[in-house]
């Protein structure tokens, strides 16, 4: 037998599969040896390696053996190009999906690392510009529950092709904080890397009054009361909104008493536009 032909065992080893895979593919008519001798010995051609590699890769992309067989039975260059274009798009989508997952992991790592630091005092922090995607205004809405707004917001993000893979923050007006309406949120929000015309707003760069709170979300009022008092005692003029970032929550902490929330209140010069 010429050197460009391989036994079943040799070909299986070259393709990094078990011999029974080749036998199965032969049985279902998907991939047959180039030569079957009268004594039953099977030999595969060197050139079949590339066809087999395509079969394995199509299978990895979720294409069924039945559909792969149909393609191979009908294949021509034009059909092959169409198949490559289709699979190229699928690969691009998978790459983006895993890039999003990687970004989510990094973001959650950063938030958790920040959350486990010991933070005892309120302080002024210079923050960079942030692009945020807000929900509809939910303040004092008599006809919708928080659950309704959350469902609508997630659907809104999905319709924009945005997969929400980390915690959704809350925005509450300083006016409500002054009135002790600590649970009357104005918006839900997530941060984005790029603007969406007509959809996103900018949280301006500048100095913000920040603080950390350890405890349940229902007890955030305690932190807000202390922050407002701190601002008044130190002559800090507050802007319109406070942003709640949930650094350590259910995914990382079983006991709600140890949830960590960062509160970020804009000062007067940092109006949300």
């Amino acid at each position: 037998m010429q050197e460009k032909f391989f036994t079943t065992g040799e070909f299986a080893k070259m393709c990094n599969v078990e011999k029974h895979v080749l036998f199965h593919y032969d049985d279902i008519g998907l991939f047959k040896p180039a030569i079957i001798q009268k004594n039953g010995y099977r030999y595969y051609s060197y050139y079949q390696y590339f066809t087999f590699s395509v079969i394995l890769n199509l299978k990895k992309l979720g294409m069924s053996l039945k559909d792969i067989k149909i393609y191979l039975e009908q294949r021509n260059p034009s059909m092959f190009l169409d198949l490559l274009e289709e699979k190229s798009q699928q690969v691009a989508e998978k790459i983006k999906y895993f890039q999003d997952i990687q970004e989510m992991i990094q973001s959650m790592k950063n938030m958790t690392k920040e959350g486990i630091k010991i933070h005892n005092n309120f302080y002024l922090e210079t923050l960079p510009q942030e692009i945020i995607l807000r929900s509809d205004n939910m303040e004092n809405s008599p006809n919708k529950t928080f659950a309704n707004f959350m469902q609508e917001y997630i659907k809104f993000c999905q319709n924009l092709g945005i997969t929400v893979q980390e915690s959704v923050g809350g925005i509450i007006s300083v006016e409500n904080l002054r009135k002790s309406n600590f649970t009357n949120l104005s918006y839900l929000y997530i941060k984005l890397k790029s603007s969406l015309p007509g959809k996103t707003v900018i949280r301006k760069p500048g100095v913000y009054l920040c603080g950390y709170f350890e405890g349940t979300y229902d007890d955030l009022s305690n932190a807000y009361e202390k922050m407002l008092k701190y601002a008044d005692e130190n002559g800090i003029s507050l802007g319109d909104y406070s942003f709640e970032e949930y650094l350590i929550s259910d995914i990382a902490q079983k006991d709600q008493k140890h949830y960590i929330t960062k509160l970020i209140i804009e000062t007067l010069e940092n109006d949300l536009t």
Side-chain angles (χ1 to χ4, degrees):
M1 187 61 58
Q2 297 178 6
E3 62 179 15
K4 288 189 177 180
F5 288 89
F6 305 88
T7 65
T8 301
E10 291 171 336
F11 192 77
K13 186 175 182 180
M14 186 169 65
C15 296
N16 197 30
V17 298
E18 298 294 331
K19 288 170 61 175
H20 68 81
V21 174
L22 296 175
F23 292 142
H24 176 61
Y25 286 5
D26 185 10
D27 290 340
I28 64 176
L30 174 62
F31 185 77
K32 292 185 172 295
I35 297 173
I36 301 179
Q37 293 186 332
K38 291 181 180 181
N39 60 7
Y41 287 174
R42 301 156 181 255
Y43 293 92
Y44 292 86
S45 165
Y46 161 78
Y47 301 105
Q48 286 184 288
Y49 171 79
F50 303 102
T51 300
F52 191 76
S53 295
V54 170
I55 291 174
L56 291 181
N57 286 318
L58 292 177
K59 189 170 180 291
K60 288 178 182 178
L61 288 172
M63 196 170 177
S64 69
L65 294 180
K66 180 181 178 180
D67 288 339
I68 294 173
K69 181 182 177 183
I70 291 173
Y71 162 72
L72 291 175
E73 289 173 347
Q74 301 176 358
R75 65 188 183 274
N76 58 56
S78 178
M79 183 180 291
F80 185 54
L81 285 174
D82 290 341
L83 179 65
L84 290 177
E85 181 62 32
E86 176 187 346
K87 296 309 174 185
S88 176
Q89 181 61 36
Q90 291 179 8
V91 169
E93 291 172 358
K94 286 181 179 291
I95 289 173
K96 185 180 185 306
Y97 171 77
F98 284 110
Q99 286 176 335
D100 290 344
I101 291 291
Q102 182 64 35
E103 290 180 5
M104 177 201 70
I105 291 172
Q106 187 59 50
S107 175
M108 295 182 78
K109 283 174 60 179
N110 293 340
M111 293 172 69
T112 304
K113 287 179 180 179
E114 182 178 1
I116 62 178
K117 294 178 182 177
I118 298 175
H119 306 279
N120 296 319
N121 300 317
F122 303 120
Y123 62 97
L124 293 173
E125 182 177 2
T126 301
L127 298 176
Q129 171 182 296
E130 290 283 4
I131 301 170
I132 64 173
L133 181 66
R134 296 188 309 193
S135 68
D136 290 335
N137 191 297
M138 55 193 293
E139 190 174 342
N140 300 316
S141 178
N143 300 321
K144 294 182 180 180
T145 64
F146 178 84
N148 294 145
F149 274 103
M150 188 66 174
Q151 290 170 344
E152 290 180 0
Y153 183 61
I154 295 299
K155 185 176 181 180
F156 170 64
C157 293
Q158 291 173 343
N159 289 339
L160 292 174
I162 299 170
T163 302
V164 180
Q165 298 177 349
E166 54 188 273
S167 62
V168 175
I171 301 175
I172 186 170
S173 71
V174 172
E175 181 180 358
N176 273 326
L177 296 180
R178 292 290 189 189
K179 295 178 180 178
S180 298
N181 294 329
F182 299 110
T183 60
N184 192 7
L185 293 176
S186 300
Y187 304 96
L188 302 172
Y189 80 100
I190 59 173
K191 300 177 184 178
L192 297 181
K193 287 189 172 182
S194 56
S195 299
L196 296 175
K199 305 294 183 182
T200 53
V201 295
I202 299 298
R203 190 177 76 186
K204 291 182 178 180
V207 179
Y208 289 77
L209 175 61
C210 300
Y212 295 84
F213 174 73
E214 180 177 3
T216 68
Y217 300 137
D218 292 336
D219 293 330
L220 282 176
S221 57
N222 297 328
Y224 274 128
E225 287 174 347
K226 293 177 182 179
M227 288 184 77
L228 293 176
K229 181 179 179 181
Y230 177 87
D232 293 340
E233 290 177 348
N234 290 274
I236 301 171
S237 298
L238 301 179
D240 293 331
Y241 291 101
S242 174
F243 299 82
E244 299 176 359
E245 293 185 354
Y246 311 120
L247 302 181
I248 295 181
S249 57
D250 181 70
I251 188 63
Q253 175 57 254
K254 184 176 180 180
D255 189 347
Q256 295 185 18
K257 293 179 181 178
H258 297 298
Y259 285 180
I260 303 294
T261 304
K262 184 176 183 180
L263 306 177
I264 305 169
I265 306 179
E266 58 184 2
T267 52
L268 191 60
E269 67 271 21
N270 295 327
D271 295 327
L272 188 67
T273 59

